[in-house]
Amino acid sequence: MTAQTLDRPAPTVALESRPVVPKGQAPVMRPGTRRARRALWWVACLICGGLVGLVLAIVGTLRGRAPSRLRRGVVAAGAAMQLASGGSFGVAGADGDGGLWETTRMVVNAPVSGAALLYGVGKGGEVHQGDNGTTAVVLDDGVVRAGTMFGTVFLTDQHMEGDSPRTQRLAEHEARHADQWAAFSLTGGPAAFPALYAFDEAFFPGAFNHFERQAGLDDGGYDTPSDCPSIAGRLTLVSLGLVAGSTLVARRRLRGLSPAATGRKALPRSAS
């Protein structure tokens, strides 16, 4: 006996509905991913621009301004280079036996210090660890004046005698420069201090430089000069300030007199 077959409808499978993203529109990120990217962007801006860079990044985020690809690339590359340089200094040249400020100074100056240490060791320099948290690298050539401080690494061509009073005074002078590096790097990034030093040096060269005076002229081997070039430098700065101020005022007045600002339509010019 054969069983009679019944025609039954095939079972339907419900397809999972997914939101369709229009072409040319980026997919919506999860809140966690968005917060992580925002935090990484802020950290990168802090590394490259200090507290000023962090504040500008936060303000831009709150205003809804997305950074361009070029800016993201530059900031990411700068942060990566500084982390790599700082890591090399932490492995090869860091001495963390100092106090709170010396440790903070060492961490903030680590990217610049690492680059200077790699340069000095690459040229065959002799490395000396100081008692005040600084490192001296003695080179045969390739230094400016008697030496230059980069972060907490002092590149010099002078023979460093640890027991010499002259060496100890010079080490204290350079340690004050390391403090300047850390303070301005924490505020405006690693490029802030060299830019300000070069600007000051252009108007107040040598012993007239305000950063050198703050670090101690006698300890740095400078002769205390008269104030005549200093007065000339101040007059030059005042003159530049007046010129810049006058330029800004003139531009604002021209903008105020423009047809767009006054609400008047510009009349077409007749052909001559």
Side-chain angles (χ1 to χ4, degrees), residues 190-225:
F193 176 69
L196 292 174
Y197 187 94
F199 181 80
D200 198 301
E201 184 73 13
F203 298 97
F204 307 97
F208 302 102
N209 190 297
H210 293 86
F211 296 103
E212 295 293 346
R213 291 191 172 192
Q214 192 274 333
L217 294 178
D218 293 337
D219 294 339
Y222 293 93
D223 295 330
T224 303

mmCIF file of all heavy atoms in Angstrom, residues 190-225:
data_model
loop_
_atom_site.group_PDB
_atom_site.id
_atom_site.type_symbol
_atom_site.label_atom_id
_atom_site.label_comp_id
_atom_site.label_asym_id
_atom_site.label_seq_id
_atom_site.Cartn_x
_atom_site.Cartn_y
_atom_site.Cartn_z
ATOM 1 N N PRO A 190 58.914 68.956 22.008
ATOM 2 C CA PRO A 190 60.383 68.953 21.976
ATOM 3 C C PRO A 190 60.999 70.022 21.107
ATOM 4 O O PRO A 190 62.183 70.312 21.235
ATOM 5 C CB PRO A 190 60.724 67.548 21.455
ATOM 6 C CG PRO A 190 59.510 67.127 20.690
ATOM 7 C CD PRO A 190 58.345 67.739 21.396
ATOM 8 N N ALA A 191 60.230 70.618 20.199
ATOM 9 C CA ALA A 191 60.781 71.665 19.335
ATOM 10 C C ALA A 191 60.642 73.057 19.940
ATOM 11 O O ALA A 191 61.151 74.016 19.359
ATOM 12 C CB ALA A 191 60.095 71.634 17.972
ATOM 13 N N ALA A 192 59.979 73.182 21.086
ATOM 14 C CA ALA A 192 59.714 74.510 21.651
ATOM 15 C C ALA A 192 60.999 75.172 22.146
ATOM 16 O O ALA A 192 61.275 76.330 21.810
ATOM 17 C CB ALA A 192 58.701 74.401 22.790
ATOM 18 N N PHE A 193 61.790 74.454 22.940
ATOM 19 C CA PHE A 193 62.981 75.081 23.509
ATOM 20 C C PHE A 193 64.020 75.444 22.452
ATOM 21 O O PHE A 193 64.536 76.576 22.471
ATOM 22 C CB PHE A 193 63.604 74.189 24.576
ATOM 23 C CG PHE A 193 64.891 74.738 25.127
ATOM 24 C CD1 PHE A 193 64.894 75.869 25.917
ATOM 25 C CD2 PHE A 193 66.104 74.119 24.850
ATOM 26 C CE1 PHE A 193 66.080 76.384 26.426
ATOM 27 C CE2 PHE A 193 67.291 74.624 25.351
ATOM 28 C CZ PHE A 193 67.278 75.763 26.138
ATOM 29 N N PRO A 194 64.398 74.549 21.525
ATOM 30 C CA PRO A 194 65.387 74.975 20.514
ATOM 31 C C PRO A 194 64.906 76.134 19.668
ATOM 32 O O PRO A 194 65.706 76.982 19.259
ATOM 33 C CB PRO A 194 65.625 73.705 19.687
ATOM 34 C CG PRO A 194 64.473 72.829 19.970
ATOM 35 C CD PRO A 194 64.055 73.137 21.359
ATOM 36 N N ALA A 195 63.598 76.213 19.384
ATOM 37 C CA ALA A 195 63.082 77.337 18.598
ATOM 38 C C ALA A 195 63.194 78.642 19.379
ATOM 39 O O ALA A 195 63.642 79.668 18.841
ATOM 40 C CB ALA A 195 61.627 77.079 18.207
ATOM 41 N N LEU A 196 62.835 78.619 20.659
ATOM 42 C CA LEU A 196 62.935 79.825 21.476
ATOM 43 C C LEU A 196 64.391 80.211 21.711
ATOM 44 O O LEU A 196 64.734 81.405 21.722
ATOM 45 C CB LEU A 196 62.235 79.596 22.816
ATOM 46 C CG LEU A 196 60.705 79.451 22.744
ATOM 47 C CD1 LEU A 196 60.157 79.090 24.126
ATOM 48 C CD2 LEU A 196 60.062 80.733 22.240
ATOM 49 N N TYR A 197 65.251 79.232 21.895
ATOM 50 C CA TYR A 197 66.678 79.527 22.106
ATOM 51 C C TYR A 197 67.269 80.166 20.852
ATOM 52 O O TYR A 197 68.032 81.142 20.945
ATOM 53 C CB TYR A 197 67.417 78.241 22.452
ATOM 54 C CG TYR A 197 68.867 78.462 22.851
ATOM 55 C CD1 TYR A 197 69.232 78.590 24.179
ATOM 56 C CD2 TYR A 197 69.873 78.546 21.874
ATOM 57 C CE1 TYR A 197 70.555 78.790 24.551
ATOM 58 C CE2 TYR A 197 71.190 78.761 22.224
ATOM 59 C CZ TYR A 197 71.525 78.878 23.565
ATOM 60 O OH TYR A 197 72.829 79.102 23.922
ATOM 61 N N ALA A 198 66.942 79.619 19.675
ATOM 62 C CA ALA A 198 67.478 80.185 18.440
ATOM 63 C C ALA A 198 66.943 81.595 18.206
ATOM 64 O O ALA A 198 67.675 82.477 17.738
ATOM 65 C CB ALA A 198 67.117 79.280 17.263
ATOM 66 N N PHE A 199 65.674 81.827 18.538
ATOM 67 C CA PHE A 199 65.105 83.163 18.386
ATOM 68 C C PHE A 199 65.797 84.153 19.326
ATOM 69 O O PHE A 199 66.129 85.282 18.933
ATOM 70 C CB PHE A 199 63.609 83.114 18.687
ATOM 71 C CG PHE A 199 62.914 84.442 18.528
ATOM 72 C CD1 PHE A 199 62.555 84.905 17.270
ATOM 73 C CD2 PHE A 199 62.624 85.224 19.628
ATOM 74 C CE1 PHE A 199 61.920 86.127 17.116
ATOM 75 C CE2 PHE A 199 61.991 86.448 19.489
ATOM 76 C CZ PHE A 199 61.641 86.901 18.231
ATOM 77 N N ASP A 200 66.041 83.739 20.562
ATOM 78 C CA ASP A 200 66.735 84.605 21.513
ATOM 79 C C ASP A 200 68.177 84.832 21.092
ATOM 80 O O ASP A 200 68.714 85.941 21.218
ATOM 81 C CB ASP A 200 66.679 83.984 22.907
ATOM 82 C CG ASP A 200 66.973 84.986 24.009
ATOM 83 O OD1 ASP A 200 68.066 85.580 23.995
ATOM 84 O OD2 ASP A 200 66.114 85.178 24.888
ATOM 85 N N GLU A 201 68.806 83.800 20.563
ATOM 86 C CA GLU A 201 70.202 83.905 20.130
ATOM 87 C C GLU A 201 70.351 84.871 18.950
ATOM 88 O O GLU A 201 71.397 85.511 18.793
ATOM 89 C CB GLU A 201 70.727 82.519 19.750
ATOM 90 C CG GLU A 201 72.189 82.466 19.365
ATOM 91 C CD GLU A 201 73.128 82.629 20.556
ATOM 92 O OE1 GLU A 201 72.656 82.541 21.707
ATOM 93 O OE2 GLU A 201 74.334 82.834 20.317
ATOM 94 N N ALA A 202 69.310 84.982 18.126
ATOM 95 C CA ALA A 202 69.387 85.882 16.977
ATOM 96 C C ALA A 202 69.468 87.339 17.405
ATOM 97 O O ALA A 202 70.094 88.159 16.717
ATOM 98 C CB ALA A 202 68.175 85.670 16.065
ATOM 99 N N PHE A 203 68.868 87.681 18.544
ATOM 100 C CA PHE A 203 68.877 89.068 19.015
ATOM 101 C C PHE A 203 69.835 89.284 20.189
ATOM 102 O O PHE A 203 70.330 90.387 20.392
ATOM 103 C CB PHE A 203 67.463 89.481 19.436
ATOM 104 C CG PHE A 203 66.466 89.451 18.311
ATOM 105 C CD1 PHE A 203 65.638 88.354 18.136
ATOM 106 C CD2 PHE A 203 66.377 90.507 17.421
ATOM 107 C CE1 PHE A 203 64.716 88.322 17.104
ATOM 108 C CE2 PHE A 203 65.464 90.484 16.387
ATOM 109 C CZ PHE A 203 64.635 89.386 16.230
ATOM 110 N N PHE A 204 70.094 88.234 20.942
ATOM 111 C CA PHE A 204 70.978 88.329 22.110
ATOM 112 C C PHE A 204 71.993 87.196 22.039
ATOM 113 O O PHE A 204 71.852 86.171 22.703
ATOM 114 C CB PHE A 204 70.168 88.239 23.408
ATOM 115 C CG PHE A 204 69.025 89.213 23.475
ATOM 116 C CD1 PHE A 204 67.736 88.828 23.143
ATOM 117 C CD2 PHE A 204 69.237 90.529 23.870
ATOM 118 C CE1 PHE A 204 66.684 89.719 23.204
ATOM 119 C CE2 PHE A 204 68.184 91.430 23.938
ATOM 120 C CZ PHE A 204 66.907 91.022 23.599
ATOM 121 N N PRO A 205 73.013 87.331 21.209
ATOM 122 C CA PRO A 205 73.949 86.218 20.987
ATOM 123 C C PRO A 205 74.887 86.007 22.166
ATOM 124 O O PRO A 205 75.179 86.911 22.939
ATOM 125 C CB PRO A 205 74.713 86.651 19.737
ATOM 126 C CG PRO A 205 74.656 88.146 19.770
ATOM 127 C CD PRO A 205 73.335 88.504 20.379
ATOM 128 N N GLY A 206 75.354 84.751 22.275
ATOM 129 C CA GLY A 206 76.378 84.427 23.259
ATOM 130 C C GLY A 206 75.952 84.669 24.685
ATOM 131 O O GLY A 206 74.927 84.170 25.161
ATOM 132 N N ALA A 207 76.749 85.457 25.379
ATOM 133 C CA ALA A 207 76.495 85.726 26.792
ATOM 134 C C ALA A 207 75.279 86.602 27.017
ATOM 135 O O ALA A 207 74.827 86.733 28.168
ATOM 136 C CB ALA A 207 77.726 86.377 27.429
ATOM 137 N N PHE A 208 74.718 87.199 25.978
ATOM 138 C CA PHE A 208 73.515 88.018 26.122
ATOM 139 C C PHE A 208 72.239 87.180 26.059
ATOM 140 O O PHE A 208 71.164 87.698 26.330
ATOM 141 C CB PHE A 208 73.481 89.093 25.035
ATOM 142 C CG PHE A 208 74.673 89.994 25.046
ATOM 143 C CD1 PHE A 208 75.691 89.833 24.129
ATOM 144 C CD2 PHE A 208 74.795 90.997 25.993
ATOM 145 C CE1 PHE A 208 76.797 90.664 24.132
ATOM 146 C CE2 PHE A 208 75.897 91.829 26.002
ATOM 147 C CZ PHE A 208 76.907 91.663 25.076
ATOM 148 N N ASN A 209 72.394 85.912 25.704
ATOM 149 C CA ASN A 209 71.239 85.036 25.607
ATOM 150 C C ASN A 209 70.607 84.861 26.990
ATOM 151 O O ASN A 209 71.290 84.564 27.974
ATOM 152 C CB ASN A 209 71.659 83.672 25.048
ATOM 153 C CG ASN A 209 70.486 82.800 24.707
ATOM 154 O OD1 ASN A 209 69.700 82.429 25.557
ATOM 155 N ND2 ASN A 209 70.374 82.444 23.434
ATOM 156 N N HIS A 210 69.286 85.050 27.067
ATOM 157 C CA HIS A 210 68.601 84.993 28.351
ATOM 158 C C HIS A 210 68.607 83.592 28.948
ATOM 159 O O HIS A 210 68.628 83.434 30.180
ATOM 160 C CB HIS A 210 67.159 85.498 28.194
ATOM 161 C CG HIS A 210 67.072 86.954 27.871
ATOM 162 N ND1 HIS A 210 67.153 87.433 26.581
ATOM 163 C CD2 HIS A 210 66.928 88.053 28.667
ATOM 164 C CE1 HIS A 210 67.045 88.752 26.588
ATOM 165 N NE2 HIS A 210 66.906 89.155 27.832
ATOM 166 N N PHE A 211 68.591 82.561 28.109
ATOM 167 C CA PHE A 211 68.652 81.196 28.621
ATOM 168 C C PHE A 211 70.021 80.891 29.219
ATOM 169 O O PHE A 211 70.125 80.179 30.222
ATOM 170 C CB PHE A 211 68.319 80.205 27.508
ATOM 171 C CG PHE A 211 66.917 80.325 26.991
ATOM 172 C CD1 PHE A 211 66.662 80.945 25.783
ATOM 173 C CD2 PHE A 211 65.844 79.830 27.712
ATOM 174 C CE1 PHE A 211 65.374 81.068 25.293
ATOM 175 C CE2 PHE A 211 64.550 79.942 27.237
ATOM 176 C CZ PHE A 211 64.310 80.556 26.027
ATOM 177 N N GLU A 212 71.076 81.427 28.600
ATOM 178 C CA GLU A 212 72.413 81.234 29.150
ATOM 179 C C GLU A 212 72.566 81.994 30.463
ATOM 180 O O GLU A 212 73.204 81.509 31.406
ATOM 181 C CB GLU A 212 73.472 81.699 28.142
ATOM 182 C CG GLU A 212 73.522 80.883 26.867
ATOM 183 C CD GLU A 212 73.995 79.463 27.107
ATOM 184 O OE1 GLU A 212 74.531 79.183 28.201
ATOM 185 O OE2 GLU A 212 73.811 78.628 26.209
ATOM 186 N N ARG A 213 71.988 83.166 30.545
ATOM 187 C CA ARG A 213 72.058 83.926 31.783
ATOM 188 C C ARG A 213 71.311 83.228 32.909
ATOM 189 O O ARG A 213 71.748 83.212 34.056
ATOM 190 C CB ARG A 213 71.507 85.329 31.562
ATOM 191 C CG ARG A 213 72.375 86.200 30.674
ATOM 192 C CD ARG A 213 71.919 87.647 30.710
ATOM 193 N NE ARG A 213 72.861 88.515 30.023
ATOM 194 C CZ ARG A 213 72.846 89.841 30.096
ATOM 195 N NH1 ARG A 213 71.928 90.459 30.832
ATOM 196 N NH2 ARG A 213 73.741 90.562 29.447
ATOM 197 N N GLN A 214 70.167 82.647 32.577
ATOM 198 C CA GLN A 214 69.408 81.951 33.596
ATOM 199 C C GLN A 214 70.142 80.700 34.067
ATOM 200 O O GLN A 214 70.042 80.313 35.240
ATOM 201 C CB GLN A 214 68.030 81.574 33.032
ATOM 202 C CG GLN A 214 67.022 81.092 34.069
ATOM 203 C CD GLN A 214 67.139 79.612 34.359
ATOM 204 O OE1 GLN A 214 67.579 78.844 33.517
ATOM 205 N NE2 GLN A 214 66.738 79.225 35.577
ATOM 206 N N ALA A 215 70.901 80.064 33.165
ATOM 207 C CA ALA A 215 71.672 78.884 33.545
ATOM 208 C C ALA A 215 72.954 79.222 34.286
ATOM 209 O O ALA A 215 73.564 78.329 34.895
ATOM 210 C CB ALA A 215 72.008 78.059 32.300
ATOM 211 N N GLY A 216 73.385 80.497 34.258
ATOM 212 C CA GLY A 216 74.594 80.903 34.969
ATOM 213 C C GLY A 216 75.759 81.119 34.028
ATOM 214 O O GLY A 216 76.311 80.136 33.507
ATOM 215 N N LEU A 217 76.126 82.367 33.811
ATOM 216 C CA LEU A 217 77.215 82.658 32.875
ATOM 217 C C LEU A 217 78.558 82.185 33.397
ATOM 218 O O LEU A 217 79.371 81.629 32.650
ATOM 219 C CB LEU A 217 77.254 84.164 32.589
ATOM 220 C CG LEU A 217 76.048 84.750 31.840
ATOM 221 C CD1 LEU A 217 76.219 86.256 31.670
ATOM 222 C CD2 LEU A 217 75.875 84.079 30.485
ATOM 223 N N ASP A 218 78.819 82.406 34.666
ATOM 224 C CA ASP A 218 80.111 82.002 35.220
ATOM 225 C C ASP A 218 80.281 80.488 35.175
ATOM 226 O O ASP A 218 81.362 79.988 34.815
ATOM 227 C CB ASP A 218 80.236 82.501 36.659
ATOM 228 C CG ASP A 218 80.311 84.017 36.729
ATOM 229 O OD1 ASP A 218 80.706 84.632 35.720
ATOM 230 O OD2 ASP A 218 79.958 84.575 37.792
ATOM 231 N N ASP A 219 79.235 79.748 35.522
ATOM 232 C CA ASP A 219 79.341 78.293 35.492
ATOM 233 C C ASP A 219 79.490 77.770 34.072
ATOM 234 O O ASP A 219 80.115 76.727 33.847
ATOM 235 C CB ASP A 219 78.100 77.661 36.141
ATOM 236 C CG ASP A 219 78.014 77.966 37.617
ATOM 237 O OD1 ASP A 219 79.064 78.295 38.219
ATOM 238 O OD2 ASP A 219 76.899 77.895 38.182
ATOM 239 N N GLY A 220 78.922 78.488 33.097
ATOM 240 C CA GLY A 220 79.036 78.054 31.704
ATOM 241 C C GLY A 220 80.288 78.522 31.006
ATOM 242 O O GLY A 220 80.492 78.196 29.832
ATOM 243 N N GLY A 221 81.138 79.279 31.697
ATOM 244 C CA GLY A 221 82.382 79.751 31.098
ATOM 245 C C GLY A 221 82.239 81.022 30.299
ATOM 246 O O GLY A 221 83.114 81.342 29.486
ATOM 247 N N TYR A 222 81.150 81.779 30.505
ATOM 248 C CA TYR A 222 80.944 83.040 29.801
ATOM 249 C C TYR A 222 81.449 84.202 30.652
ATOM 250 O O TYR A 222 81.357 84.175 31.883
ATOM 251 C CB TYR A 222 79.457 83.267 29.502
ATOM 252 C CG TYR A 222 78.856 82.291 28.511
ATOM 253 C CD1 TYR A 222 78.231 81.127 28.949
ATOM 254 C CD2 TYR A 222 78.906 82.550 27.144
ATOM 255 C CE1 TYR A 222 77.664 80.246 28.043
ATOM 256 C CE2 TYR A 222 78.343 81.672 26.239
ATOM 257 C CZ TYR A 222 77.731 80.519 26.693
ATOM 258 O OH TYR A 222 77.178 79.638 25.793
ATOM 259 N N ASP A 223 81.957 85.197 29.982
ATOM 260 C CA ASP A 223 82.319 86.446 30.642
ATOM 261 C C ASP A 223 81.086 87.343 30.696
ATOM 262 O O ASP A 223 80.388 87.514 29.694
ATOM 263 C CB ASP A 223 83.451 87.146 29.896
ATOM 264 C CG ASP A 223 84.736 86.335 29.921
ATOM 265 O OD1 ASP A 223 84.946 85.598 30.904
ATOM 266 O OD2 ASP A 223 85.515 86.425 28.945
ATOM 267 N N THR A 224 80.826 87.905 31.857
ATOM 268 C CA THR A 224 79.659 88.773 32.010
ATOM 269 C C THR A 224 79.861 90.039 31.193
ATOM 270 O O THR A 224 80.779 90.816 31.462
ATOM 271 C CB THR A 224 79.433 89.132 33.480
ATOM 272 O OG1 THR A 224 79.299 87.916 34.230
ATOM 273 C CG2 THR A 224 78.178 89.970 33.648
ATOM 274 N N PRO A 225 79.022 90.297 30.175
ATOM 275 C CA PRO A 225 79.236 91.448 29.288
ATOM 276 C C PRO A 225 78.487 92.675 29.786
ATOM 277 O O PRO A 225 77.761 92.643 30.774
ATOM 278 C CB PRO A 225 78.666 90.962 27.966
ATOM 279 C CG PRO A 225 77.539 90.073 28.391
ATOM 280 C CD PRO A 225 77.920 89.463 29.726
#
